Amino acid sequence: MSYEKVSQASEIIVGTKQTVKALKNGLVSLLVVADDADHKVTSKVIQTANEMDVPVTRVDSMRKLGKSCGIEVGAAAVAIIK
């Protein structure tokens, strides 16, 4: 379900650093985080999403998340832009 949301979104941001910046700027409507990503990598972006009251959805695979973004590598976090 969330993979479909990512692939159908008109605008996304891939990667934790850019996602944290977008969250702080109030641009994100939904955060999608891969469960198999390193917790050290995803903890800051999840914490920021919680602080900004942005819903967080989890998916099982970084590889599938990256593929749904149209990239060849795995993605730990993806922000769907409002």
Side-chain angles (χ1 to χ4, degrees), residues 46-73:
I46 292 170
Q47 178 183 347
T48 305
N50 290 335
E51 288 170 3
M52 301 301 291
D53 291 324
V54 173
V56 178
T57 301
R58 294 188 171 270
V59 293
D60 59 347
S61 169
M62 284 178 63
R63 181 171 293 284
K64 287 182 193 173
L65 187 55
K67 199 168 200 168
S68 66
C69 295
I71 60 175
E72 296 295 320
V73 294

Side-chain angles (χ1 to χ4, degrees), residues 11-69:
E11 189 176 351
I12 58 170
I13 294 177
V14 181
T16 55
K17 289 180 185 175
Q18 298 91 328
T19 298
V20 167
K21 188 175 179 181
L23 282 163
K24 288 182 178 178
N25 289 331
L27 302 174
V28 180
S29 63
L30 177 68
L31 175 66
V32 182
V33 178
D35 279 336
D36 63 345
D38 187 346
H39 180 69
K40 291 177 189 170
V41 173
T42 60
S43 62
K44 181 169 177 60
V45 72
I46 292 170
Q47 178 183 347
T48 305
N50 290 335
E51 288 170 3
M52 301 301 291
D53 291 324
V54 173
V56 178
T57 301
R58 294 188 171 270
V59 293
D60 59 347
S61 169
M62 284 178 63
R63 181 171 293 284
K64 287 182 193 173
L65 187 55
K67 199 168 200 168
S68 66
C69 295

